[in-house]
Amino acid sequence: MKQAVLSALLLAGTANAATIKIATVSPLSGSLTPIGSEVKRGAELAVQEQAAAFKALGYDLVLTPYDDQASAVLGGQVAKTIVADKGIVGVVGALNSSVSNVLAQAFGPAGLATISPASTNDQLTQNDWAHFSRVVAPDAAQGVAAANYIADELKARSVFVISDNTAYGNGLTRVLLSNLKKQKVNVAAYAGASNATQIADVVKKVKGSGADVVYFGGTDDTGSQLLKALRAAGITAIFMGGDGLDSPSFLQRVGIAGAGVVYSTVFGPVSSFSNALDFTEKYQAAYKSKPSGVAVYAYDATNTLLAAVRAAATSARGVPTRAQVSAAVRKVNLPACFNADKARCTTITGAIAFSGNGERQRSRVLIMRFDDVLQPQVAKVQTVTAESLK
């Protein structure tokens, strides 16, 4: 029966191909352009690879990128534009948790499937949204891993915790503070800093605190400014952060000051995935640069969405509705891939399936450290299950 449906779709498609559109939402201008572009590029590669298969089924597959400038306000405007385009059946994005929150709220009435490759704020999967999912581990997983590392490996006497005042930074630091308390690690102070004046003020407080570890929750643009200001003030405390520092632009901004920086990440080096070589070669050929972990997760998020679209289209015997795609996303069960079987697999980051609230069933968190020549080294790997986060 299934083969008959596919044959019918193929015959119909040769006569009059229908268009299926998906969108990406990420910063394509502004200070987070380097990492926001990775979302678009990872999705582009996935769409390019699957375009022929969709064409054979009678569909023209189209990717439409949108620029949110890492702004929740602009994200709301982008969301209205996407909702109005009835041809869009799914979205990959956003990068920032604050924007993903706005998108998910706006897409709720339309039931528009959204898969984030990078937004880690815990609350995003605690809103009973049937249409929102993500392929990365949440802040809670990073907070636990970071607190364990600070206590067990760094053996910190005192930690000064700083947020960049974003939803991402606030969520990450709140979880960290809770877990530092459980570990009985002293917290010297907690502060917010998102502009030059606030950074200058917090640097003075850090210096007076005598903390031997500074933990920063936030994105790499603010994080790089903070780190350089700390080092310029003669503060040698270990600088640690979340996956907002897992970006090529972070090292470009801080230079040699990045040596010794420690960070938790849901991404990690692309080379840490056993079957990433083919993806890396295609990425470098297309964009003349090396991919980041964000590009890999965007690629997997897009392939996950496209698997759902294909399943929904087969069931609907035509272009699926947004609600049908959302339902299909929660039923996706993609296997982990290895070099030997990559021909039948599309994932790089491991098996992908979702819990009832859109959390990935199994994800990982890495603790990374930049060595003296600014090469990221894996210090610790931790697997997190959706069940363990409840």
Side-chain angles (χ1 to χ4, degrees):
M1 180 64 181
K2 184 176 181 180
Q3 185 59 46
V5 172
L6 292 176
S7 298
L9 290 173
L10 177 59
L11 291 173
T14 57
N16 186 22
T19 297
I20 288 180
K21 297 169 69 175
I22 66 171
T24 60
V25 180
S26 65
L28 300 178
S29 61
S31 63
L32 292 183
T33 298
I35 200 66
S37 296
E38 294 283 89
V39 174
K40 173 176 172 285
R41 290 174 173 181
E44 281 179 339
L45 289 180
V47 168
Q48 289 168 10
E49 290 174 8
Q50 294 212 33
F54 271 81
K55 188 70 171 179
L57 294 175
Y59 303 109
D60 289 327
L61 184 61
V62 176
L63 176 68
T64 305
Y66 288 88
D67 178 15
D68 61 29
Q69 296 180 20
S71 164
V73 173
L74 184 57
Q77 298 173 16
V78 168
K80 291 180 181 179
T81 302
I82 291 175
V83 170
D85 187 342
K86 303 301 182 183
I88 296 175
V89 298
V91 177
V92 174
L95 177 77
N96 304 82
S97 292
S98 56
V99 180
S100 281
N101 183 57
V102 170
L103 294 183
Q105 291 184 58
F107 295 159
L112 182 59
T114 310
I115 304 179
S116 175
S119 294
T120 57
N121 184 265
D122 295 313
Q123 187 61 41
L124 290 172
T125 53
Q126 297 172 14
N127 295 298
D128 296 324
W129 288 327
H131 62 290
F132 178 86
S133 307
R134 60 178 160 205
V135 293
V136 290
D139 291 337
Q142 289 192 72
V144 171
N148 289 343
Y149 190 81
I150 288 172
D152 300 337
E153 307 298 330
L154 298 182
K155 301 188 183 305
R157 298 185 304 275
S158 180
V159 184
F160 199 111
V161 182
I162 304 168
S163 169
D164 68 349
N165 298 319
T166 63
Y168 163 70
N170 292 339
L172 187 60
T173 51
R174 278 198 299 268
V175 174
L176 178 82
L177 288 169
S178 174
N179 283 278
L180 287 176
K181 183 176 181 180
K182 293 177 183 177
Q183 294 279 6
K184 301 188 184 326
V185 176
N186 179 60
V187 175
Y190 177 72
S194 54
N195 58 49
T197 300
Q198 292 171 344
I199 288 173
D201 181 60
V202 81
V203 166
K204 293 177 182 177
K205 292 178 180 177
V206 171
K207 194 165 188 174
S209 73
D212 52 340
V213 173
V214 173
Y215 183 89
F216 170 73
T219 54
D220 72 289
D221 50 349
T222 303
S224 59
Q225 295 175 51
L226 175 61
L227 176 59
K228 288 194 293 185
L230 289 168
R231 297 300 184 244
I235 298 171
T236 59
I238 294 173
F239 189 82
M240 185 174 184
D243 54 14
L245 306 185
D246 186 14
S247 165
S249 55
F250 176 71
L251 285 181
Q252 291 169 6
R253 286 167 168 147
V254 299
I256 195 60
V261 168
V262 180
Y263 60 94
S264 64
T265 181
V266 296
F267 306 115
V270 176
S271 60
S272 66
F273 297 106
S274 63
N275 64 321
L277 181 59
D278 185 55
F279 171 83
T280 299
E281 290 176 346
K282 291 178 180 178
Y283 186 98
Q284 290 180 309
Y287 304 112
K288 313 306 178 187
S289 62
K290 294 181 179 180
S292 73
V294 172
V296 173
Y297 276 85
Y299 176 84
D300 271 11
T302 306
N303 278 320
T304 301
L305 177 60
L306 293 178
V309 171
R310 289 185 65 172
T314 301
S315 178
R317 302 190 184 189
V319 176
T321 66
R322 290 169 167 176
Q324 288 170 330
V325 173
S326 286
V329 167
R330 291 296 172 83
K331 297 177 182 178
V332 165
N333 189 5
L334 300 179
C337 301
F338 303 96
N339 288 325
D341 62 3
K342 66 181 181 181
R344 72 178 181 86
C345 291
T346 58
T347 65
I348 296 176
T349 63
I352 298 178
F354 300 107
S355 66
N357 65 354
E359 207 72 82
R360 188 167 174 169
Q361 291 285 11
R362 290 179 63 86
S363 53
R364 70 176 195 172
V365 177
L366 286 78
I367 302 295
M368 306 292 299
R369 180 183 180 277
F370 290 119
D371 62 21
D372 292 341
V373 291
L374 304 182
Q375 293 300 306
Q377 304 295 332
V378 178
K380 189 174 183 180
V381 180
Q382 182 172 329
T383 299
V384 180
T385 66
E387 185 65 28
S388 70
L389 296 170
K390 293 181 179 178

